[in-house]
Amino acid sequence: MEIAFLPKRPSARAIAAKTLAAMMAATPAAAQTGGDANPPPASAPALSGPSSSELMAHFVANAIPTANFIGTAGRLAIAYSHNGKIQKLAQELAKNQTAVANSLSAWVNVNGPVVTLRSPYTGQIGRGAAKLAAPNLLPSQVSNLQRLSAAQGSNFDSLFVSTEMEALIQLQTLYRDFIQNGTDPGLHAIATRELPKVEQAISTLEGL
């Protein structure tokens, strides 16, 4: 639906429409990579072999779309919000999280063809096994962006803060878990570098 009565925000609406279309196309990948790659319970044995691959798959399949969501929501806030503090934070998040998503995607482009998802139940990979991949956005993130793109004024600001806080906390958890349990040096370096930035952003959101 075109919103002709908001002439100051056509570019943001266009960004939202393109992003929603792209992530709708990526939804099957979200279902494929996110379904079987749950982290093991605390009582599980130490990660080795297939479990290490599962941890990488879970991390990539969730960190990439979450970083993409945070960055895209930030770009919407730059155009939609009239709160100076929110706009300043949104600019930082849009820049930083887009760069993070690109770094993680680059890792997948190099390593994805040789790292496969194994079933957590059978450990099988075999012919036809899915390769490591990640969606642009998860289905719940698609819904949140749709809600943000339709919000106005203070309602937009409130929704932006709540959805970004949720996504940042998810990213914080992913980074902490991978720093503690992950074995891939490239992903470990990204998580270690980005965790303090995420925690600072959470602190800033809490102060708004």
Side-chain angles (χ1 to χ4, degrees), residues 78-142:
I78 293 170
Y80 287 20
S81 178
H82 299 292
N83 183 309
K85 292 182 179 180
I86 287 180
Q87 285 192 326
K88 181 179 179 180
L89 177 61
Q91 289 174 347
E92 295 176 358
L93 290 174
K95 179 180 178 180
N96 293 342
Q97 295 307 315
T98 299
V100 170
N102 290 340
S103 294
L104 290 170
S105 296
W107 183 93
V108 171
N109 289 338
V110 173
N111 296 279
V114 297
V115 180
T116 57
L117 287 174
R118 294 174 185 256
S119 167
Y121 305 106
T122 67
Q124 295 178 350
I125 52 174
R127 295 182 59 184
K131 298 296 184 181
L132 183 62
N136 289 329
L137 291 168
L138 300 174
S140 61
Q141 294 164 351
V142 174

Side-chain angles (χ1 to χ4, degrees), residues 15-94:
I15 290 172
K18 291 180 181 179
T19 301
L20 291 175
M23 64 185 177
M24 287 295 189
T27 298
Q32 181 181 26
T33 58
D36 291 337
N38 293 322
S43 59
L47 291 174
S48 62
S51 295
S52 179
S53 295
E54 288 171 12
L55 181 59
M56 285 190 291
H58 173 76
F59 178 79
V60 168
N62 288 276
I64 290 178
T66 302
N68 274 327
F69 170 80
I70 294 170
T72 303
R75 286 189 288 275
L76 289 178
I78 293 170
Y80 287 20
S81 178
H82 299 292
N83 183 309
K85 292 182 179 180
I86 287 180
Q87 285 192 326
K88 181 179 179 180
L89 177 61
Q91 289 174 347
E92 295 176 358
L93 290 174

Side-chain angles (χ1 to χ4, degrees), residues 144 146-149 151 154-164:
N144 283 338
Q146 289 172 332
R147 293 166 59 204
L148 277 169
S149 65
S154 60
N155 288 336
F156 174 89
D157 290 345
S158 297
L159 185 58
F160 172 78
V161 170
S162 64
T163 55
E164 288 287 76

